[in-house]
Every structure is written in C-alpha cells, then in structure tokens.
Amino acid sequence: MKVLVIGNGAREHALCRSLSLDPGVSALHCAPGNAGIAEVAELHPVDALDGEAVAALAQRLAVDLVVVGPEAPLVAGVADAVREVGIPVFGPSGEAAQLEGSKAFAKEVMAAAEVPTARSYVCTTPEEVAEALDAFGAPYVVKDDGLAAGKGVVVTSDIEAATAHANACERVVIEEFLDGPEVSLFAITDGDTVLPLQPAQDFKRALDGDEGPNTGGMGAYSPLPWADPKLVDEVLETVLQPTVDEMRRRGTPFSGLLYAGLAITSRGVRVIEFNARFGDPETQVVLNRLKTPLAGVLLAAASGNLEDLPPLRWSEDAAVTVVVASHNYPATPRTGDPITGLDEVAEQDAPHAYVLHAGTRRDGDAVVSAGGRVLSVTASGKDLTEARERAYRAVGRIRLDGSQHRTDIAAKAASGA
C-alpha cells in the first residue's frame, strides 16, 4: 500500500512513524512534512490547505490512501477534493468537520443526539456575552466558535479576561464549567461502525501544576490507571455512536477520526468538545501502544469496511510524551534556534524512547526550531513511572536555547495520586 500523509506536526510524525513500521506499507509520502518526518517518508512541498494540489499529488504518486492530519485542511474540504478523484481518504468531509470547525454546530448535534455535555449559550453581541457570563458565574468557560488550533478556549475566574476574550471573537460559545479530570478518547469510524481507541490524558497549561496560559498541549500519557475500566464502553454507547448516527441521519456522514474531549464530572461523563482529527500530543502515546498495523485500520475506515476488521491489539506498556517548546511559547515563540542531542537520543534511548518532530526544519546540516511546540519526546515502559523516567532522560539530552517543558507530565497518575 502507498500512503500519503498531509500535515507537518508531531501528530503527523507519529502517524508516519507507525505507518513506516507497518509491513503492509510499500511507500510513504508526506506533504509538507518536517525535518523528522523526512527520515521515514518522502516529502513534497504542497500546501496542505490546497485540496486540488493535494488531490493532484495523490494521483501523481498513485497512492492507495491519503491521511489528512490537521483540522484546518479538513474544514477546508481537502478530504472532499481527494475523494472526488476516487482515492480513499482518512478524514471527514468539510461539512462533517464542522463538528470541530464550529463549537455551536457541535452543540446542536449533541443536543439532537442526546449526548451529555455542558449547558451553553452562543453569543454574538457584548450584551449576550454579559448575560451568559452572569448566568453561569465563575469559573468562566469561553470558546471561540471557529478553529483556533486548540488555543481558542479561555477558562478563568477573572470576569474581565473572560469578557475580553469573548468580545474579541465574532461568535462565541459560553458554557458552564465542568469539574473533574479530563480524558481524550479517539474513535475511528467509517460513518457507521465506531471503533474506539485507548484513552489518554493531555496537559493543556504551559507550566507545572497546570499553571500558566492554555497551549496546544504540553504532554500526554496512556493508559489511565485511575479511570473506570468501563469508561470506553460507556462513552461509545452514550457519546460516540449517537454522534456518528446523528451525523449520518443529517446526510453528512462522519468518517475518519472522531475525538471526544471528556470531563469525568461528579454527575457523570460530559463532552467538553469534539475534534475531527487525531489529537496532538495524545496521538503520540496512543499510537505508541497500538500493536495492530495502522494502515489497514485507516484504509478500512476510508473504504467503509470497519465492521470486518478484527479487534485492535494493544500493548500492556504505558506511554508518556513530553513536549519541548520554544522560548516564549505560547505567546510569540522564537524560531530558528539549532537543536542538538537528537542523535544521542537515537543512539542511547532507542527503542524505548524516541523524538517526534513538531515545529522543525532543516537548515543546511542543522535541525532548527520552526514553531511553538518543537518536539514530542515519547517513551514506553512497563508502567507510567518507567515511561516517565525514559521520556525525561531523553528530554535531558536535547539542547535548544531558551526551550521549556513541563516536568510533571503523568506524575500524579504514576504515583497513584
């Protein structure tokens, strides 16, 4: 099977790494990719948001499957352009991707499907914003209705900060605060059958102890030793399958990766948000634990044959990923700094730990930073304690001037706290 992956982040590097290890994959391509992906796939300088260019590339390479990684190309309809030329694509249509593209649309679908979620108001004027914030009280949860790369959400007890964020958005969703730990659960679907993956937890705040500004995610781990063993079955029954059924009923079937961000509240499981693609950095740990070859699973979803797939096989090991970010991330990150120590990790920490590239590029012989989140250092171990030790040992070998990372990824879960 020849596969083309679209995107240039650590999620796409994780996908490419898994596909490169799949004996069923004979050729692997990525557009546009990054310095790390170049080691496992052939790169092509195509704009990920240009559906016609992506479809033309897929035809020229005669690939059997296209995998669209990021949300922006999905919402822009890149998967539709590829489907129109008759090539199977893993990723929802532009219309179906509105589950992520519009928080208000997602709320509408959840209401129709009777999916448990936070009560909310959609606001377009300062008066509506003030009324909604007053109705719910602190802590305030304010979400930009459109795509914001995981950073359009403000959770704060400061009414002025909440109001300022809300009024800076054209359309905003204000909702009640959900207490309890958060869980990310991915499901692969062909529009009918829904196949949940293993749950993970990510860390959104920039600093240790969940302090600092919201980010795209600073680390993740899987499995969740504290979670109810019946959690996945419950979410499949109350959230994932009803949502996929409702999308099909509306005439906009959702095929690809449905990501449910969940809060395990005192009143039960509630959906915080849906995403229409693999999450970053949770993908890094979930794919680390998946033993079933990936390409066949994605192709079965893309071609509507998911129900024929045997059950997925998972490693009993734990996985932890730690994000190394640029100086001043998430504000205005500095780029162009050289990264060293990558060879040391490959020589001394493999196969248990490895580095997935996010914001990197080649500059002559050097690899330099090219984004806010630069690397995802991922490791496995017999339990979370061992996986953490291996991940942080590898992080310690990497040198990037001014870089930052959290030191407490999976610490509480590993200690049983």
Side-chain angles (χ1 to χ4, degrees):
M1 196 192 306
K2 294 181 186 173
V3 184
L4 169 61
V5 176
I6 303 302
N8 64 348
R11 161 189 44 227
E12 288 76 36
H13 193 177
L15 287 163
C16 286
R17 179 182 180 272
S18 289
L19 290 165
S20 73
L21 298 172
D22 184 336
V25 174
S26 56
L28 183 58
H29 302 270
C30 186
N34 63 37
I37 295 172
E39 294 171 16
V40 293
E42 185 181 339
L43 303 191
H44 302 271
V46 166
D47 180 358
L49 293 170
D50 186 337
E52 284 182 21
V54 169
L57 175 65
Q59 284 179 298
R60 185 165 59 77
L61 297 172
V63 297
D64 304 291
L65 174 67
V66 174
V67 180
V68 183
E71 59 274 22
L74 290 168
V75 172
V78 167
D80 303 272
V82 176
R83 279 194 189 95
E84 278 168 24
V85 298
I87 296 174
V89 58
F90 183 81
S93 66
E95 244 183 312
Q98 284 302 311
L99 263 185
E100 176 167 5
S102 167
K103 304 282 190 296
F105 174 72
K107 288 288 187 185
E108 197 185 299
V109 170
M110 283 188 264
E114 298 183 353
V115 166
T117 186
R119 292 178 301 123
S120 64
Y121 294 105
V122 179
C123 307
T124 53
T125 67
E127 292 75 26
E128 288 173 349
V129 165
E131 211 173 304
L133 292 172
D134 186 53
F136 287 131
Y140 307 102
V141 181
V142 184
K143 299 180 174 181
D144 189 338
D145 183 47
L147 284 184
K151 296 192 284 286
V153 179
V154 165
V155 181
T156 179
S157 293
D158 180 341
I159 183 71
E160 288 177 6
T163 304
H165 181 64
N167 290 335
C169 305
E170 277 183 40
R171 193 167 184 235
V172 70
V173 175
I174 294 173
E175 62 184 41
E176 67 176 326
F177 177 77
L178 297 174
D179 64 322
E182 294 184 12
V183 174
S184 300
L185 185 61
F186 301 162
I188 288 172
T189 177
D190 57 9
D192 290 291
T193 302
V194 181
L195 188 64
L197 305 185
Q198 290 287 306
Q201 187 175 55
D202 78 332
F203 295 76
K204 283 288 185 203
R205 299 284 183 175
L207 308 175
D208 285 5
D210 291 327
E211 299 286 333
N214 231 20
T215 72
M218 295 300 289
Y221 70 93
S222 177
L224 312 181
W226 49 268
D228 185 330
K230 299 193 287 290
L231 175 68
V232 173
D233 290 341
E234 182 192 337
V235 174
L236 175 62
E237 193 180 318
T238 62
V239 173
L240 299 168
Q241 192 71 56
T243 300
V244 168
D245 291 346
E246 172 63 19
M247 292 295 284
R248 190 175 64 250
R249 191 188 65 73
R250 288 167 172 250
T252 51
F254 187 102
S255 88
L257 195 291
L258 180 59
Y259 163 148
L262 309 164
I264 313 300
T265 77
S266 51
R267 293 170 296 145
V269 174
R270 297 285 184 274
V271 176
I272 300 168
E273 64 175 357
F274 283 129
N275 289 334
R277 39 74 197 182
F278 279 103
D280 182 349
E282 301 97 321
T283 302
Q284 289 84 303
V285 291
V286 172
L287 291 186
N288 177 284
R289 299 186 56 226
L290 179 65
K291 291 173 81 170
T292 303
L294 182 61
V297 181
L298 302 185
L299 183 62
S303 47
N305 302 318
L306 213 47
E307 66 177 347
D308 302 330
L309 205 69
L312 297 178
R313 294 179 295 113
W314 295 93
S315 166
E316 293 294 311
D317 284 356
V320 170
T321 195
V322 179
V323 170
V324 177
S326 293
H327 175 72
N328 206 33
Y329 176 75
T332 311
R334 193 172 77 204
T335 59
D337 288 312
I339 304 161
T340 58
L342 299 174
D343 292 343
E344 287 173 46
V345 175
E347 287 162 16
Q348 299 182 48
D349 299 294
H352 302 298
Y354 49 87
V355 180
L356 298 167
H357 292 232
T360 69
R361 63 179 173 81
R362 280 223 164 263
D363 184 4
D365 291 337
V367 174
V368 300
S369 61
R373 292 187 296 172
V374 181
L375 305 167
S376 282
V377 180
T378 305
S380 59
K382 64 180 186 298
D383 54 25
L384 285 172
T385 300
E386 186 174 57
R388 285 189 83 244
E389 284 168 1
R390 287 172 169 171
Y392 279 108
R393 190 181 307 139
V395 168
R397 300 190 203 281
I398 292 164
R399 288 168 296 285
L400 169 62
D401 187 43
S403 69
Q404 52 174 320
H405 65 271
R406 283 184 57 161
T407 65
D408 63 346
I409 302 301
K412 272 190 189 170
S415 68

